[in-house]
């Protein structure tokens, strides 16, 4: 394992290696949360004509994530148009009574359709009302029982939707893992450049003067890349476990195994990419890796893209990996829910590996 130890020491001496392996996996989950909270500080107006404990609770719940602006109902359209608010909610008198008696609710909401923030707020309003309706069902349409149950319930059971909070945290986890995919690809190409280009620096002459076969040499080089990828993955998973222990626990093992499979793919991509002349590696990273991440859904849901781009995205491994993450986190946390994705990802690994090996055979020439 002389080649393995030698190359590992070479990589770990580089400052960019420490940043990529230890610092970025810790910073990314924190930035994901920061960006989300910066985005969710939307300004909303709540015009409450009912003024009951239920409507006050809804206002309080929304104020935890959004800035409440006080306006007149007649100015809603103007305020939406000018950007003073992004969302308005009108709670008519008798709303709470309708909830208690089990009548069909009709809540007036106003928003700018060009902004997708309204869908998030609508979900929070609907989830809050769903929780309160559940209390009304337990009260059997009795007003006194309704307020009695509501009063004795822990506040988070109806004023803050625990399921919604869990979904938010799950989205933070998925966002962090999506960015990890990009970092793995970038670091694999970068580390591979340092390890697999010995021929250009004439270091392979000394290596092959020793009793070592090409197969052993390549195996140890690729093993270094694989171990470094696992270090990067492990650091991020430890960070996510610390930040979201209760949320990630049901599927942390499945996700970790999934990324072990994907580590093989990123290593094969690094091998393939470094078969290109070194002068073009920087350009390769810019024009291939980043667009692949965009098409694959690392930055946004690729269902938002035109159908042509969605079709093209099926031919890159990142798409299948992002979908596999979603399948595991949305299911029961079992890796077999993403078995098709794992098979496809493994196929990509074989293809990139064979391309890289065939183009590296000239290393002994």
């Amino acid at each position: 394992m002389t080649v393995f130890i030698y190359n590992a020491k070479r990589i770990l001496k580089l400052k960019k290696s420490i940043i990529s392996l230890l610092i970025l996996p810790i910073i990314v989950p924190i930035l994901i949360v920061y960006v989300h909270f910066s985005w969710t500080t939307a300004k909303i107006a709540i015009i409450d004509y009912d003024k009951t404990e239920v409507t006050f609770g809804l206002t309080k719940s929304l104020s935890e994530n959004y800035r409440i602006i006080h306006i007149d109902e007649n100015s809603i359209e103007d305020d939406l148009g000018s950007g003073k608010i992004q969302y308005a909610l009108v709670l008519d008198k008798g709303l709470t009574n309708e909830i208690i008696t089990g009548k069909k609710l009709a809540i007036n909401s106003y928003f700018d359709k060009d902004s997708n923030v309204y869908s998030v707020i609508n979900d929070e309003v609907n989830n809050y009302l769903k929780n309160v309706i559940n209390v009304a069902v337990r009260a059997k349409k009795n007003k006194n029982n309704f307020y009695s149950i509501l009063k004795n319930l822990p506040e988070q059971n109806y004023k803050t939707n625990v399921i919604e909070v869990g979904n938010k945290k799950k989205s933070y986890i998925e966002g962090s893992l999506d960015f990890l995919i990009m970092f793995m690809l970038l670091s694999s190409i970068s580390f591979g450049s340092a390890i697999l280009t010995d021929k250009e620096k004439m270091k392979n002459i000394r290596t092959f003067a020793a009793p070592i076969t090409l197969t052993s040499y390549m195996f140890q080089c690729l093993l270094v890349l694989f171990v470094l990828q696992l270090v990067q993955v492990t650091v991020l998973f430890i960070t996510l476990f610390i930040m979201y222990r209760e949320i990630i626990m049901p599927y942390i093992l499945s996700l970790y195994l999934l990324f072990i499979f994907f580590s093989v793919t990123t290593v094969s991509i690094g091998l393939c990419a470094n078969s290109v002349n070194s002068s073009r590696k920087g350009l390769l990273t810019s024009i291939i890796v980043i667009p692949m991440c965009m098409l694959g859904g690392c930055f946004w849901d690729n269902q938002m893209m035109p159908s042509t781009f969605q079709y093209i995205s099926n031919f890159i491994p990142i798409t299948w990996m992002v979908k596999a993450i979603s399948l595991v986190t949305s299911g029961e946390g079992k890796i077999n829910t993403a078995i098709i994705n794992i098979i496809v990802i493994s196929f990509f690994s074989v293809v990139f590996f064979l391309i890289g090996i065939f183009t590296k055979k000239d290393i002994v020439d």
Side-chain angles (χ1 to χ4, degrees), residues 9 77 95 108 114-115 119 122 162 226 275 313 331 342:
K9 288 181 178 179
E77 292 187 6
L95 173 66
N108 298 317
D114 293 332
S115 172
S119 61
N122 271 339
V162 177
F226 179 72
S275 65
S313 70
I342 292 173

Side-chain angles (χ1 to χ4, degrees), residues 13-64:
K13 285 181 180 179
L14 302 174
K15 292 182 179 179
K16 65 179 181 180
S17 302
I18 303 300
I19 294 174
S20 178
L21 294 174
L22 301 178
I23 298 178
L24 285 178
I26 295 175
I27 291 178
V28 167
I30 299 173
L31 287 179
I32 291 288
V33 175
Y34 175 79
V35 170
H36 175 85
F37 278 113
S38 296
W39 178 77
T40 55
T41 51
K43 292 171 289 193
I44 65 177
I46 301 177
I47 301 172
D48 185 3
Y49 293 118
D50 201 33
K51 298 187 184 302
T52 65
E53 185 177 349
V54 171
T55 57
F56 291 152
L58 176 57
T59 302
K60 181 180 178 181
S61 178
L62 293 175
S63 67
E64 293 176 359

Side-chain angles (χ1 to χ4, degrees), residues 1 9 23 56 61 108 114 122 172 175 196 217 243 248 252 273 280 302 312 323 352 361:
M1 298 297 286
K9 288 181 178 179
I23 298 178
F56 291 152
S61 178
N108 298 317
D114 293 332
N122 271 339
Y172 302 159
L196 299 171
Y217 174 80
M243 294 178 65
I248 200 173
I252 188 170
R280 296 199 293 261
N302 60 9
I312 294 173
K323 290 180 178 179
F352 285 119
K361 281 188 175 181

Side-chain angles (χ1 to χ4, degrees), residues 292 295-297 302 313-314 316-324 341:
M292 281 176 61
L295 284 172
N302 60 9
S313 70
N314 291 320
I316 58 176
I318 297 174
T319 302
W320 295 90
M321 182 60 182
V322 171
K323 290 180 178 179
N341 299 68

Side-chain angles (χ1 to χ4, degrees), residues 26-269:
I26 295 175
I27 291 178
V28 167
I30 299 173
L31 287 179
I32 291 288
V33 175
Y34 175 79
V35 170
H36 175 85
F37 278 113
S38 296
W39 178 77
T40 55
T41 51
K43 292 171 289 193
I44 65 177
I46 301 177
I47 301 172
D48 185 3
Y49 293 118
D50 201 33
K51 298 187 184 302
T52 65
E53 185 177 349
V54 171
T55 57
F56 291 152
L58 176 57
T59 302
K60 181 180 178 181
S61 178
L62 293 175
S63 67
E64 293 176 359
N65 290 326
Y66 308 101
R67 183 181 173 187
I68 306 299
I69 304 295
H70 298 285
I71 64 170
D72 185 83
E73 183 179 0
N74 296 325
S75 65
I76 289 179
E77 292 187 6
D78 292 337
D79 291 334
L80 283 171
S82 64
K84 183 178 179 179
I85 58 173
Q86 284 78 51
Y87 186 94
L89 191 66
V90 178
L91 307 175
D92 293 330
K93 188 171 181 59
L95 173 66
T96 302
N97 188 58
E98 290 179 352
I99 293 174
I100 296 173
T101 56
K103 293 181 180 179
K104 187 175 180 180
L105 298 181
I107 298 179
N108 298 317
S109 59
Y110 304 83
F111 47 82
D112 182 1
K113 290 184 178 180
D114 293 332
S115 172
N116 58 5
V117 68
Y118 74 87
S119 61
V120 178
I121 303 174
N122 271 339
D123 286 341
E124 295 194 19
V125 172
N126 291 333
N127 284 324
Y128 173 90
L129 293 175
K130 187 185 300 182
N131 289 338
V132 176
I133 290 172
N134 288 336
V135 174
V137 171
R138 291 176 57 187
K140 298 180 179 180
K141 300 183 180 181
N142 185 289
K143 186 174 182 179
N144 292 331
N145 289 342
F146 173 80
Y147 281 107
S148 177
I149 296 173
L150 198 65
K151 182 179 180 180
N152 293 325
L153 277 177
E155 184 174 333
Q156 65 269 21
N157 281 13
Y158 67 97
K159 290 189 177 178
T160 303
N161 189 347
V162 177
I163 297 176
E164 178 66 18
V165 171
N167 287 338
K168 284 183 181 179
K169 291 184 177 180
K170 187 182 292 186
S171 70
Y172 302 159
I173 293 171
E174 292 178 356
S176 300
L177 294 177
D178 290 345
F179 274 94
L180 175 61
I181 292 172
M182 180 182 69
F183 293 141
M184 289 174 69
L185 286 170
L186 294 174
S187 62
S188 180
I189 294 175
S190 177
F191 297 157
S193 177
I195 294 175
L196 299 171
T197 55
D198 284 349
K199 178 183 176 183
E200 296 161 10
K201 298 181 181 179
M202 302 303 289
K203 292 178 182 177
N204 63 308
I205 295 178
R206 180 175 58 188
T207 301
F208 286 102
I212 185 172
T213 63
L214 174 62
T215 301
S216 177
Y217 174 80
M218 290 301 297
F219 172 77
Q220 293 185 53
C221 287
L222 295 176
L223 183 61
V224 173
L225 291 178
F226 179 72
V227 171
L228 291 174
Q229 294 284 276
L230 287 186
V231 170
Q232 192 175 44
V233 170
T234 302
V235 171
L236 185 131
F237 268 78
I238 291 174
T239 304
L240 291 176
F241 179 76
I242 294 172
M243 294 178 65
Y244 310 110
R245 180 177 305 179
E246 295 181 359
I247 304 297
I248 200 173
M249 272 301 295
Y251 42 80
I252 188 170
L253 180 59
S254 295
L255 287 174
Y256 190 74
L257 290 174
L258 187 62
F259 271 88
I260 290 177
F261 281 109
F262 189 68
S263 295
V264 177
T265 305
T266 57
V267 169
S268 64
I269 292 175

